[in-house]
Amino acid sequence: MTVRIPFDNSYATLPEVFFTRLPPTPVSAPVTLAWNAALAAELGISGTDPNVFAGNTVPDGAAPLAQLYAGHQFGNYNPQLGDGRAVLLGEVIDNNGLRRDIQLKGSGPTPYSRMGDGRAWLGPVLREYVVSEAMHALGVPTTRALAAMATGDPVYREQGGLPGAVLTRIAASHLRVGTFQVFAHRGHIDELRTLTDYAIARHHPQADGPIGLLAAVCAAQAELVAAWMSVGFIHGVMNTDNCTISGETIDYGPCAFMDAYDEARVFSSIDQMGRYAYGNQPRIAVWNMAQLATALIQLFDDKEAAVEQATAIVHAMPGQLQAAWLRRFGAKVGLEDAKATDQPLIEDLLALMQKDGADFTNAFAALGQPGARDQFTDRAAFDEWEALWQSRVGHEATQIMAHANPQIIPRNHPIEAMIEAAVAGDMEPFDRLMKAFAQPYDVAPEYDDLRRPPTAQEIVPATFCGT
Ligand code: AMP
Ligand code: MG
């Protein structure tokens, strides 16, 4: 079926230093694995065509390009990154009047591929599809998944030859902290100014200049990371190239949702220092904003005054994070507009969960239910906490908690099982997960199995980069 995409491209009109124009690299045998019809309708896309979404045909109106960026990876600056395996087809204005990027990921090598093959395999493509759509249903800002196509070509990874796939990713934009860093570090101030003006107009039109942009991005990132914390999400690679200006979650590589609560939980196999551990995410978000500040300061002649203003904004971010965290976790225990005096109540519960290794999702979902104490091993301690909690919350608590505590989150073990089935040609588990995670706060009884934490044998210790 012919596909019509109402492109309205803006990034492609910027100077050529921002990207390299190139089409996606064709594949052998495109087959549709997944198609998000609701999102297509939202984007004004009619029809579908595996040849377009696998990269074999460039659709009318597209202006395909790979974006240039840099970034701090695990704290070390890498001056040359960029879309190494992705091509931006272009942008559309969606039903709500919002500009959205349409990008193919896994679409072949680009000038920014370094040693990589430019490809992705089925596992990470379907994991990103399921997890990003679940994040959206959970109410967390995120890039979306429009399509997943099998390529018919093998992709070689540590595990050997694997089925190749291409994901169509939709984003408010793909501007990252690293997009600013690359021009700031090169001393290309005119380009940095063009980019800053573009980012303000596209994402934060109310922002007053570079300092206003910094403040807006800090606010968006503070909200984002508090939202992650509230659903037990660990991003896994909070490098500055994976930190968006829009405040959307991007790059579902070694990400995962926690089962047993643990502040120090890490999933990324290469994160040996725990830099991106669950409980470290707020600190890293601030660190990333300090890098954005460092880049934006290059725009000012009076550096001293700019440093002072930018520093004040970055220093205000822990307070913003804390406020967003308190609002989110307050709601998780049934409090609307939780106050600082409510914080010990929340922290005491988290301390109990940490001590007992309680399941993060299930323990919160059980609050106020008859079986709540069964989520803990130290039941006497929980009973004591529960009595105090009941004396603090009002009758509206159940209602508040119902919207703040998901019943199910995409746990690693059903995702791994889904990938195994998909590799064997069975997409039924994928379709089932997509149906279940569309309503994570109100789960049909047929999906009750997805509430179950992993058994000892099912625990997925790490997910992998180099996907
Ligand atoms: P990520 O860890 O996914 O954020 O990727 C970091 C950088 O490596 C980005 O510039 C990616 O485009 C690039 N990259 C990751 N995987 C590949 C691949 N298979 N081929 C080429 N480039 C890649
Ligand atoms: Mg990335």
Side-chain angles (χ1 to χ4, degrees), residues 69 73 80-86 105 108-110 112-120 155 157 176 237 239 241-242 251 253-254 465-467:
Y69 54 85
Q73 300 179 303
Q80 172 73 74
L81 293 165
D83 292 332
R85 54 162 164 178
K105 182 173 171 184
T110 78
Y112 314 116
S113 298
R114 295 176 296 168
M115 305 303 281
D117 60 4
R119 293 296 182 185
V155 169
R157 295 290 181 267
R176 314 135 189 274
V237 252
N239 293 336
D241 54 300
N242 294 333
D251 222 322
C465 278
T467 48

Side-chain angles (χ1 to χ4, degrees), residues 26-333:
V27 303
S28 298
V31 173
T32 303
L33 296 169
W35 174 251
N36 191 336
L39 182 56
E42 191 179 313
L43 299 172
I45 297 177
S46 60
T48 179
D49 180 351
N51 280 304
V52 166
F53 296 101
N56 285 16
T57 309
V58 175
D60 285 348
L65 58 87
Q67 292 180 325
L68 169 67
Y69 54 85
H72 279 91
Q73 300 179 303
F74 291 90
N76 303 306
Y77 187 65
N78 188 329
Q80 172 73 74
L81 293 165
D83 292 332
R85 54 162 164 178
V87 165
L88 177 70
L89 289 180
E91 301 143 36
V92 296
I93 310 293
D94 72 12
N95 279 349
N96 305 308
L98 300 172
R99 182 174 290 281
R100 314 274 290 270
D101 273 7
I102 302 176
Q103 191 201 57
L104 301 186
K105 182 173 171 184
S107 54
T110 78
Y112 314 116
S113 298
R114 295 176 296 168
M115 305 303 281
D117 60 4
R119 293 296 182 185
W121 75 275
L122 190 64
V125 165
L126 294 183
R127 182 194 288 123
E128 172 159 349
Y129 199 116
V130 169
V131 178
S132 65
E133 287 301 300
M135 288 283 268
H136 173 69
L138 286 164
V140 181
T142 178
T143 62
R144 303 284 306 277
L146 176 67
M149 299 290 145
T151 63
D153 297 319
V155 169
Y156 297 94
R157 295 290 181 267
E158 280 161 26
Q159 305 95 310
L162 298 160
V166 175
L167 178 78
T168 305
R169 179 161 71 180
I170 306 300
S173 86
H174 286 82
L175 296 181
R176 314 135 189 274
V177 171
T179 321
F180 289 78
Q181 288 182 288
V182 69
F183 301 107
H185 275 257
R186 290 177 179 182
H188 295 174
I189 303 307
D190 288 345
E191 285 80 2
L192 184 62
R193 184 162 288 118
T194 301
L195 183 68
T196 302
D197 292 344
Y198 178 86
I200 291 173
R202 184 161 176 179
H203 293 298
H204 304 288
Q206 76 295 347
D208 186 10
I211 298 294
L213 176 65
L214 176 65
V217 179
C218 284
Q221 285 289 330
E223 280 299 327
L224 177 65
V225 173
W228 289 353
M229 302 298 280
S230 76
V231 293
F233 181 75
I234 304 171
H235 182 281
V237 252
M238 286 178 73
N239 293 336
T240 57
D241 54 300
N242 294 333
C243 178
T244 59
I245 297 307
S246 66
E248 284 183 343
T249 310
I250 198 170
D251 222 322
Y252 292 86
C255 71
F257 286 81
M258 267 191 306
D259 297 299
Y261 181 68
D262 179 9
E263 276 266 315
R265 190 72 174 90
V266 171
F267 278 103
S268 170
S269 55
I270 60 171
D271 189 2
Q272 248 115 65
M273 306 290 285
R275 178 178 170 91
Y276 300 142
Y278 172 78
N280 228 18
Q281 296 184 120
R283 269 188 292 279
I284 293 295
V286 177
W287 192 89
N288 286 348
M289 289 305 98
Q291 306 316 312
L292 178 61
T294 303
L296 290 172
I297 283 163
Q298 306 305 314
L299 292 168
F300 291 87
D301 294 328
D302 184 351
K303 297 263 188 307
E304 214 170 304
V307 167
E308 200 172 307
Q309 285 181 297
T311 303
I313 287 165
V314 174
H315 282 181
M317 199 180 162
Q320 290 176 309
L321 269 157
Q322 181 56 30
W325 183 93
L326 187 57
R327 182 166 44 72
R328 294 252 176 200
F329 277 79
K332 290 181 78 65
V333 299

